[in-house]
Amino acid sequence: MRNLADEIERFILRKLAGETNDITILQRNELADELSCAPSQISYVLSTRFTAERGFIVQSRRGSGGFVRIVRVPVQKIVYNKPDNIMDYCSPEDFENIIIKLNSERMITAREAGLIKYFLDVIDDYVNPVEKMRIFRSLLITLENNS
Amino acid sequence: MRNLADEIERFILRKLAGETNDITILQRNELADELSCAPSQISYVLSTRFTAERGFIVQSRRGSGGFVRIVRVPVQKIVYNKPDNIMDYCSPEDFENIIIKLNSERMITAREAGLIKYFLDVIDDYVNPVEKMRIFRSLLITLENNS
DNA sequence: ATAATAAAAGTCAACAATAGTCAAAGCGGA
DNA sequence: TCCGCTTTGACTATTGTTGACTTTTATTAT
């Protein structure tokens, strides 16, 4: 028998694959209607399949004009979950790219991105690259802790 | 379906972006007419989107010749308006209080507050108080520039 | 000068349109 | 059978939209 959850997962993954920035937006009721299932089933799939653990971020808004935004986040895994795998240091360009990526995937706001860039720029005068990397990681954790 | 609130928000933000001094003035009924919606919908958007938390001040006048003025508030104003801004430096407690104040006035988010505190803490090891104050001011301007 | 009128913006409650939660039932494989 | 994943639906929470009514301000008529 067909497995709805898997079908929904595949549908969303295909939709995501068709996007250029690993971001896709859908409407829960609409998708439920299209796949002939209960709307809450979409929520179920999102909460079991599209988890941070698997490298996704799901954001949504209720009410009129509501939506669900799904973001695939490869960077998140690197930065948050695999501290052992990450490089010991980054070039300024690497930092710039990570920050841009984090912002484009809505893990940080433009204001936070600006703050972090300014921050990294300032400490450049005082710390070595390895130390800077350590500080950067702490900084992201600080952000998480205040969410 | 079309989402009026978002549309109105975008309209006002665009109008604001076209101004040179972060101030724009509009008429509620006129805008409602232009966007084909109820005038009260404009009020709704102003009260939910153009809040102090998001860095806006909305003033208005009723009656004949009435208007709505929307101002994007520079964050650093709060700091600059305080007596201590005359000083060249702050104690860590002063910084802490300013940050708490900024957050309680909803000029910065909890995440931003956390970032800034961490930031100030890190550079403490490297810069003197006067330099730290200078960096703090630049930091607020950076925040402002990314709003 | 005062009263009436017109021309704004504000308030609020009702209703509509979403998405989230959770308990209970269903189903399939070990 | 039993356990764990799936599926549903009733209920909740959030956000948007409208219109009737109120308040404020300016203008006009007397």
Side-chain angles (χ1 to χ4, degrees):
Chain A
M1 164 174 193
R2 89 177 166 154
N3 186 330
L4 253 182
D6 290 345
E7 198 174 322
I8 294 167
E9 183 186 17
R10 268 186 279 114
F11 182 96
I12 295 174
L13 286 175
R14 267 201 310 276
K15 196 157 184 299
L16 209 40
E19 306 289 343
T20 55
N21 345 1
D22 284 342
I23 298 176
T24 193
I25 291 179
L26 55 87
Q27 292 204 292
R28 194 181 77 146
N29 290 350
E30 190 182 75
L31 180 54
D33 192 52
E34 192 167 342
L35 299 180
S36 304
C37 67
S40 57
Q41 183 64 7
I42 307 296
S43 301
Y44 170 73
V45 171
L46 289 173
S47 65
T48 55
R49 261 83 155 179
F50 293 85
T51 61
E53 171 86 3
R54 299 190 184 191
F56 295 95
I57 288 178
V58 177
Q59 300 159 309
S60 64
R61 196 170 75 184
R62 304 186 187 188
S64 197
F67 59 83
V68 177
R69 173 169 41 224
I70 298 147
V71 184
R72 179 190 267 129
V73 195
V75 173
Q76 192 207 25
K77 258 198 164 149
I78 296 171
V79 175
Y80 289 100
N81 295 340
K82 307 275 186 194
D84 46 314
N85 267 1
I86 201 167
M87 291 180 294
D88 281 341
Y89 63 91
C90 281
S91 70
E93 292 73 31
D94 289 337
F95 277 121
E96 175 79 15
N97 286 332
I98 290 177
I99 293 169
I100 288 173
K101 187 80 175 165
L102 288 172
N103 178 230
S104 75
E105 291 175 356
R106 297 174 189 267
M107 297 190 54
I108 63 177
T109 67
R111 281 159 61 100
E112 288 161 359
L115 269 186
I116 295 170
K117 274 192 275 191
Y118 175 71
F119 187 9
L120 294 178
D121 195 48
V122 168
I123 62 172
D124 243 354
D125 292 342
Y126 306 108
V127 304
N128 63 45
V130 173
E131 184 69 3
K132 188 178 173 186
M133 192 68 210
R134 190 192 60 73
I135 290 172
F136 181 65
R137 287 204 204 97
S138 299
L139 186 150
L140 292 177
I141 290 166
T142 298
L143 257 187
E144 276 300 283
N145 291 340
N146 285 290
S147 292
Chain B
M1 85 182 272
R2 128 186 125 138
N3 189 332
L4 258 178
D6 289 345
E7 200 175 319
I8 293 166
E9 183 186 18
R10 275 197 307 274
F11 182 96
I12 295 173
L13 284 175
R14 267 202 309 276
K15 196 157 184 297
L16 208 42
E19 306 290 343
T20 54
N21 45 350
D22 282 343
I23 298 178
T24 194
I25 291 179
L26 55 87
Q27 291 205 294
R28 194 182 77 145
N29 290 349
E30 190 182 76
L31 180 54
D33 192 51
E34 191 167 344
L35 299 180
S36 304
C37 67
S40 57
Q41 184 64 8
I42 308 296
S43 301
Y44 171 74
V45 171
L46 289 172
S47 66
T48 54
R49 261 80 165 202
F50 293 85
T51 61
E53 171 163 12
R54 298 189 185 193
F56 296 94
I57 288 177
V58 177
Q59 301 159 309
S60 64
R61 199 170 71 188
R62 305 185 187 189
S64 199
F67 60 85
V68 177
R69 173 170 41 221
I70 299 148
V71 184
R72 203 200 299 268
V73 184
V75 169
Q76 73 268 27
K77 264 198 177 151
I78 277 203
V79 175
Y80 288 169
N81 286 341
K82 308 220 167 305
D84 18 282
N85 84 60
I86 304 163
M87 296 192 300
D88 283 339
Y89 63 91
C90 282
S91 70
E93 292 73 30
D94 289 337
F95 277 121
E96 174 77 16
N97 285 332
I98 289 176
I99 294 169
I100 287 173
K101 182 80 178 167
L102 287 171
N103 180 230
S104 74
E105 305 241 351
R106 300 177 173 248
M107 305 296 301
I108 64 176
T109 66
R111 281 160 60 98
E112 288 162 358
L115 266 188
I116 294 171
K117 275 191 274 192
Y118 175 71
F119 186 8
L120 294 179
D121 195 48
V122 168
I123 62 172
D124 244 353
D125 293 341
Y126 306 109
V127 305
N128 64 46
V130 173
E131 185 69 2
K132 189 179 174 186
M133 191 67 205
R134 189 192 62 73
I135 290 172
F136 182 64
R137 290 213 177 95
S138 298
L139 185 150
L140 292 178
I141 290 168
T142 297
L143 208 48
E144 170 66 15
N145 290 340
N146 286 289
S147 292

